[in-house]
Amino acid sequence: MTVNLLNIHHGYNFRDLGGYHTQDGKTLRAHKLVRAGKLSDLSDRDLSYLADYGVRDDVDFRSPDEKKMAPDRVPEGTVYHFDPVFPHDETKVSKSWAEEQQAFSLDALGGHHNMIRTYGDMIVNPTSQKAYRAFFDVLLANENSGQSVLFHCSAGKDRTGMAAVFLLSALGVDEATIRTDYLTTNDYVGGALQAVLDKAKAGGANANMLQGLTDLWVAKPEYLDTALATIDKNYGSMAQYLHQALQLTGGELKDLRQFYLI
């Protein structure tokens, strides 16, 4: 698969999903689906770039506290949709240094265990299910082929990653491509992670703390595996999850494929 990284100067992990192939031989349209990290640091140049790119909907999966701390900068003409997956940031990517130090300094696996719990919770939590259903409502309203839906959280990794998993599954993309797209985040969060680690070291972080922070910032196969196993255990299959938990009908799946595939 080819990764289409957007030319954003003051943000990271902005990727167009166009070009991915489905199992029945179709291709995702370009300039329709963009996954991303936070938008709060975007420059005026970046905003103009996204407006020219065709972004007309911005779906923000972050918590109310994250939104308040770092509000989105939205391109001109773009509709902002606040759609929190959790009432607070369970991924801990946005937590303060003091909170992280207290939580992870005594346990090198603290960050890892936190992410495993979070990925299971994203599947069964009613708030998460409601948020992802609302995301599909935005997608289903975007019939115009020249307009893009951008969806994001803080790092564009976990809440955004699972949104991409659900979306690509609904469009008929194979699991290997979906997994590769999920893990590709690791190619683009290195700078942000290093800045976090440097700040932590300057504040006296021990090895446990640094490992915990790293586990919060990277995409790991076992995180995605936890989500998929939780789906299989509780719903039997991804198709059943999309139908039962996210309430996607056969007609809506057909519309999604009509809007986003060629």
Side-chain angles (χ1 to χ4, degrees), residues 101-117:
Q101 186 177 44
Q102 182 178 9
F104 299 134
S105 61
L106 299 178
D107 182 6
L109 294 177
H112 180 88
H113 290 154
N114 177 80
M115 298 310 296
I116 294 294
R117 288 191 299 269

Side-chain angles (χ1 to χ4, degrees), residues 81-142:
H81 306 269
F82 182 52
D83 190 22
V85 170
F86 295 118
H88 55 277
D89 179 19
E90 292 195 11
T91 66
K92 303 295 191 296
V93 166
S94 64
K95 288 185 77 66
S96 71
W97 159 243
E99 291 171 315
E100 289 167 338
Q101 186 177 44
Q102 182 178 9
F104 299 134
S105 61
L106 299 178
D107 182 6
L109 294 177
H112 180 88
H113 290 154
N114 177 80
M115 298 310 296
I116 294 294
R117 288 191 299 269
T118 297
Y119 272 76
D121 195 26
M122 267 194 286
I123 300 305
V124 299
N125 188 313
T127 300
S128 302
Q129 293 178 359
K130 180 181 178 181
Y132 286 125
R133 172 64 222 199
F135 168 55
F136 276 102
D137 288 338
V138 174
L139 294 170
L140 286 162
N142 184 39

